[in-house]
Amino acid sequence: MRPPFRFALLATLARRSRREIERADRLTTVRAPENWPDAQVEAWLDWAEAEGFDPGGDDPLAEGAGRFAEQLGLEGVAADEVRATLLLGLATPAAPVATAPGRLDLSDPAAGKRLADEMAVRRAARLAANAIEAVAASLHAVADAVSRCEGPPGDCADPSRNPALARAALAARRTGAADADILRAIAGEPFEVSPLAAPTLPPMVALADRDLIAAGAPVAVQAAGAAMDGDLIVTFEAEAAEALTALSAAPAVLLSLPMLHALAGEQFGAAFSALVGLWSRAYADVPFSLGLGGLADLALCGDFEEAEALAADLAELAAEHGASSGLFVDDAEASLRLGLTPLAAAEAFETRDGEMARRLRPSLAQAIMAAGGEIESAERHLLGRRTLAGAPGVDHMALRTRGLTDLELEAIEAALARVERLEDAFRAPVLDAGFVRDVLGVEDGGDGELLIRLGFTPDAVAEAQAWAFGHGDLSTWADAPESLRPVLADPAALEVRLRGMLETASAAPDTAATPLDWRATPAQAVRLLGDAARAGRRAIRLRRGPAPCGPLLDLPEADAPRERRRDPETRAVERVVEKVVERDRTRRKLPDRRKGYIQKAAVGGHKVYIHTGEYDDGELGEIFIDMHKEGAAFRSLMNNFAIAISIGLQYGVPLDEFVDAFVFTRFEPAGRVTGNDSIKSATSILDYIFRELGVSYLDRHELANADPEGLNADGLGGGAGDDGPPEAVPAARFISKGFARGAAPDNLVVLPFGQKREPQLAATSASEATACPECGDFSLQHRGAGWICDTCGAAPSMQG
């Protein structure tokens, strides 16, 4: 007599390595099989914590498995065997197919109203989850409208005096916020919220007449409409509905058939019987669901043409041990714990260094090899070659004829190993933006279509994409073995066939969701219900798929609605007209050869050099600030500050904004300015720099606090007290000979015109300094009809 199959012995012989898993707040040291990826280990740790085991010893997985066996009331050998199946990844507890309480009979006249009421509840939960963030954002906007207001606090908190607050409050009310919450937001109460997860309500079970559903009767329309906003299982047999309801509260176990085959080999049949019998005894004759995970992979590892016979044999073996109540377990978390994924040609796997990569599914590779196919050919078709060498349409020779050099081709080849789309290898930073613009002659880097802009056809680009990154499946693989073509064309069809065979031996029907597009209509759902009824299926589960992330509507810009206010006496309508101008956010590049000027000055005895760079139209595009004798930290800080200002200017930030932000800033060094004919004093280095830029580029002469000696208002010479005719100034004083490269003749002169002369009284009074009541410096000057402090910029009223 053959001895019983012992899983505890296999667990003892299995190699389990020690590794560290990063959890939410700590590093956990675990021992797990070497072929388990970190995600699978984390899934087991999550399960142990969810069950309340909270393992924290040297071997938390073994501790969690042992405590689960104790929870089942097992002792001795039985406890050791169950614990071993968990540690080997052969089995895992799973969540049953939970259903909503009760069963709905669609032949009942009140069924329509019950369906409508239930769907209204589910629709409300879905909309609430989507709307909570919008309401919170609108209340944040209300609080911002108050905090950004610069008026008196009472006016800032009054919607009738703060237009921005009024608009924000109206928007918050439209999103569903209550007026009480709006008032709390105005008062400064925070509204931090956590986003709600999409509701996962259990499916409803409805019993329907097969003939009525097949004929598309009104009851089918009601069921289809309910499936649009919920999860609905329509059964055509009363026994199937009762089995589903009974199993919704029963335990469930998911088995990994590929792992059992790998461990047992030729003894798979005995091992399967032992495994099913072990879990049947563990639940002490309680009805439970037994999921046969990886059945399609197991069929591919053997004679897949006999896959249906294999499924029937396994179902018969399960029935012998009383485990035929339900043979379907669809629990994503349990599948992750066993490393099970839906059948597909390509799968993701974790390398030894922890990186994720893609490969041909091992079971498919084994089936291809057994059928005489070539594995390397399948991998090239599925995953690509990660090179453009020899690619159809877009190869190295074709790229060289478009202007790319060996240096660019080398960078592209290196990038193909780490990107997933061909266009990502033909954009910055792989290709230098200057090379693309200046050599290839393509502006904006090609905007993701560089190959098309270089003259390649869309078909050629698609062929190169498939050559480098693969086709994604094996449905069009030319060298596929004939016997495998049906499976390679539609791998999911094999799983459907096998589930159909298992359903004949299961008391509960298959409740795998029939995929519905997120845009599906009730008419499409009615058609699916009718097809299932005519095909003789015992049940069908309808559920809409999730919508794609991101915006799905390309909405035109529209003016925000405005509330019109009418004065009761004049009956005039008060309107607020706003114009929003959005600047282009692309960076405006400076010409490679550009003009500008250098200004040397000293602020409080500290030398400052300002270098400017201009666009061809004379607009300021960059600045450099040099302070050679300062400390390294301060000098580096000023250099990086200048870089930040330059980047802002090139992205379209107006110079006015910088000038208004930095003039009158106060820190050392400060005081008297020498070497600048327009600025005599400054409150800081930044105050001096932006006074200079404002005067020179924005004509903001109110920032100048010195009367240049010997210069007219236009700065071309002639002295303020010179009453004679204006004199011509050589152009070489303003035009760089090196920049012009001989384009400006030597006899070119600049004729002053439009000179403004200040009255003698103003010139005289400007030299008389008075103490400033704000800062105390003797730098208060009489300018025109008022007084201006050259140090702090104050304009006090000097009455009396």
Side-chain angles (χ1 to χ4, degrees):
M1 181 177 179
R2 177 178 296 178
F5 204 88
R6 299 298 301 273
F7 297 103
L9 179 61
L10 289 177
T12 303
L13 299 176
R15 297 184 60 182
R16 299 172 65 229
S17 60
R18 189 176 299 274
R19 71 179 83 174
E20 288 187 341
I21 301 296
E22 185 175 356
R23 307 289 288 163
D25 55 351
R26 65 187 185 278
L27 283 176
T28 302
T29 302
V30 299
R31 293 182 60 201
E34 293 181 344
N35 61 336
W36 282 16
D38 288 349
Q40 187 172 354
V41 178
E42 290 181 17
W44 278 105
L45 292 175
D46 291 340
W47 167 79
E49 291 183 2
E51 292 291 328
F53 300 146
D54 193 20
D58 294 336
D59 195 353
L61 295 185
E63 181 182 344
R67 293 184 62 181
F68 177 76
E70 294 176 2
Q71 191 179 69
L72 293 178
L74 302 177
E75 298 177 351
V77 176
D80 292 340
E81 290 291 292
V82 168
R83 173 179 172 273
T85 61
L86 299 181
L87 294 178
L88 290 171
L90 293 174
T92 179
V97 181
T99 59
R103 187 188 70 187
L104 183 63
D105 191 346
L106 295 182
S107 62
D108 186 350
K113 184 177 185 306
R114 288 185 58 189
L115 273 178
D117 293 343
E118 181 64 25
M119 291 307 106
V121 172
R122 294 172 181 245
R123 189 180 303 114
R126 174 172 56 83
L127 294 177
N130 295 333
I132 185 170
E133 293 186 39
V135 175
S138 67
L139 293 174
H140 280 299
V142 170
D144 287 343
V146 177
S147 63
R148 294 175 183 272
C149 178
E150 297 180 355
D155 293 345
C156 290
D158 187 352
S160 64
R161 292 185 174 89
N162 185 348
L165 174 59
R167 291 192 296 269
L170 283 172
R173 182 183 287 175
R174 293 189 190 100
T175 61
D179 284 3
D181 288 326
I182 296 175
L183 290 172
R184 296 186 184 107
I186 292 175
E189 183 174 328
F191 279 89
E192 299 294 336
V193 297
S194 298
L196 291 179
T200 54
L201 299 176
M204 293 187 304
V205 178
L207 177 63
D209 184 272
R210 187 182 298 274
D211 295 333
L212 292 179
I213 295 295
V219 65
V221 178
Q222 290 178 354
M228 294 298 97
D229 274 292
D231 196 351
L232 182 66
I233 299 176
V234 178
T235 63
F236 304 108
E237 301 173 358
E239 295 80 3
E242 292 175 359
L244 283 177
T245 304
L247 289 177
S248 64
V253 178
L254 180 63
L255 307 182
S256 175
L257 299 182
M259 180 59 67
L260 183 64
H261 182 268
L263 292 175
E266 295 181 356
Q267 299 182 19
F268 174 79
F272 179 77
S273 295
L275 185 60
V276 175
L278 173 65
W279 282 95
S280 297
R281 292 189 297 273
Y283 284 114
D285 299 326
V286 175
F288 70 99
S289 296
L290 179 71
L292 304 183
L295 180 57
D297 288 295
L298 179 64
L300 289 173
C301 292
D303 187 359
F304 73 92
E305 294 181 348
E306 301 295 331
E308 294 182 359
L310 173 64
D313 292 342
L314 295 179
E316 183 178 352
L317 287 173
E320 292 178 0
H321 293 279
S324 60
S325 299
L327 296 178
F328 304 99
V329 174
D330 296 309
D331 183 358
E333 292 296 327
S335 297
L336 180 58
R337 290 195 290 274
L338 297 184
L340 301 173
T341 57
L343 186 63
E347 70 173 12
F349 75 102
E350 185 176 317
T351 62
R352 289 185 179 274
D353 56 0
E355 299 293 330
M356 297 302 297
R358 295 170 68 238
R359 68 181 178 187
L360 176 65
R361 195 178 189 94
S363 59
L364 269 178
Q366 185 172 342
I368 291 172
M369 184 181 300
E374 186 179 349
I375 299 297
E376 292 184 1
S377 176
E379 290 177 339
R380 287 195 299 267
H381 183 88
L382 177 66
L383 306 174
R385 298 159 176 82
R386 296 289 172 165
T387 181
L388 290 179
V394 186
D395 59 0
H396 289 181
M397 183 63 68
L399 292 171
R400 286 191 181 95
T401 60
R402 264 69 170 190
L404 278 78
T405 67
D406 290 342
L407 182 63
E408 281 72 38
L409 292 178
E410 182 179 352
I412 291 170
E413 287 293 320
L416 290 175
R418 60 178 184 271
V419 300
E420 295 300 330
R421 300 185 306 169
L422 189 61
E423 55 263 32
D424 291 336
F426 284 86
R427 65 173 67 192
V430 179
L431 296 180
D432 182 70
F435 173 84
V436 175
R437 182 185 66 249
D438 300 334
V439 178
L440 301 182
V442 178
E443 297 292 336
D444 301 329
D447 195 22
E449 297 182 348
L450 179 60
L451 292 173
I452 300 297
R453 302 276 286 274
L454 290 178
F456 293 100
T457 64
D459 291 341
V461 175
E463 291 177 356
Q465 168 80 22
W467 175 274
F469 299 100
H471 295 76
D473 57 47
L474 296 174
S475 59
T476 59
W477 180 31
D479 299 330
E482 285 297 327
S483 59
L484 278 178
R485 287 189 181 276
V487 177
L488 299 180
D490 187 8
L494 177 61
E495 290 189 323
V496 172
R497 284 171 45 203
L498 296 177
R499 293 178 73 102
M501 181 56 64
L502 291 178
E503 189 175 21
T504 60
S506 173
D510 184 8
T511 56
T514 300
L516 271 177
D517 188 76
W518 66 276
R519 295 166 296 188
T521 62
Q524 293 172 314
V526 168
R527 191 177 304 114
L528 288 174
L529 286 171
D531 292 343
R534 288 186 290 271
R537 293 183 58 179
R538 299 169 62 193
I540 179 174
R541 182 176 183 178
L542 295 180
R543 182 174 57 194
R544 265 181 174 171
C549 298
L552 303 176
L553 291 175
D554 186 10
L555 299 176
E557 294 293 334
D559 294 334
R562 303 288 181 192
E563 292 269 342
R564 294 188 175 184
R565 300 174 183 173
R566 188 178 297 275
D567 186 20
E569 297 181 359
T570 63
R571 312 293 292 178
V573 177
E574 178 183 346
R575 300 179 61 194
V576 178
V577 180
E578 294 183 354
K579 182 179 181 181
V580 178
V581 179
E582 185 172 354
R583 292 182 176 270
D584 188 4
R585 291 187 176 90
T586 58
R587 188 173 181 178
R588 183 185 176 192
K589 295 294 185 181
L590 281 160
D592 293 337
R593 185 179 180 84
R594 44 191 176 266
K595 59 185 182 298
Y597 71 89
I598 301 175
Q599 172 70 58
K600 173 187 175 183
V603 179
H606 296 257
K607 289 184 179 180
V608 183
Y609 292 83
I610 302 175
H611 304 244
T612 67
E614 304 173 4
Y615 291 100
D616 291 336
D617 58 3
E619 185 177 347
L620 181 63
E622 68 179 357
I623 64 170
F624 297 94
I625 305 171
D626 293 327
M627 301 183 70
H628 298 294
K629 294 187 178 181
E630 301 300 325
F634 188 75
R635 185 169 66 250
S636 299
L637 183 63
M638 295 304 295
N639 288 340
N640 285 279
F641 174 78
I643 292 173
I645 296 297
S646 300
I647 292 175
L649 292 171
Q650 293 166 27
Y651 272 100
V653 179
L655 178 59
D656 271 316
E657 296 291 337
F658 288 124
V659 171
D660 291 338
F662 293 109
V663 293
F664 302 120
T665 52
R666 299 177 62 87
F667 59 85
E668 294 296 332
R672 185 166 177 253
V673 176
T674 59
N676 192 300
D677 58 6
S678 297
I679 303 169
K680 187 178 68 175
S681 62
T683 59
S684 65
I685 294 293
L686 297 186
D687 177 59
Y688 160 70
I689 291 170
F690 286 97
R691 282 178 184 270
E692 165 61 28
L693 296 178
V695 171
S696 300
Y697 285 99
L698 303 176
D699 293 329
R700 292 183 57 172
H701 295 289
E702 74 275 8
L703 298 177
N705 53 20
D707 293 323
E709 298 179 1
L711 290 178
N712 290 330
D714 56 10
L716 298 181
D722 188 359
D723 295 330
E727 297 180 358
V729 179
R733 179 174 176 182
F734 303 100
I735 301 176
S736 169
K737 184 175 182 179
F739 182 82
R741 288 181 174 173
D746 294 337
N747 60 352
L748 183 65
V749 297
V750 177
L751 295 176
F753 61 91
Q755 298 178 0
K756 300 179 182 179
R757 300 184 181 277
E758 296 292 338
Q760 188 66 26
L761 177 61
T764 303
S765 61
S767 62
E768 299 176 0
T770 307
C772 173
E774 297 292 334
C775 65
D777 286 357
F778 286 90
S779 55
L780 198 63
Q781 303 286 345
H782 190 272
R783 301 275 174 76
W787 294 83
I788 298 292
C789 177
D790 290 337
T791 300
C792 66
S797 175
M798 304 294 290
Q799 298 179 358

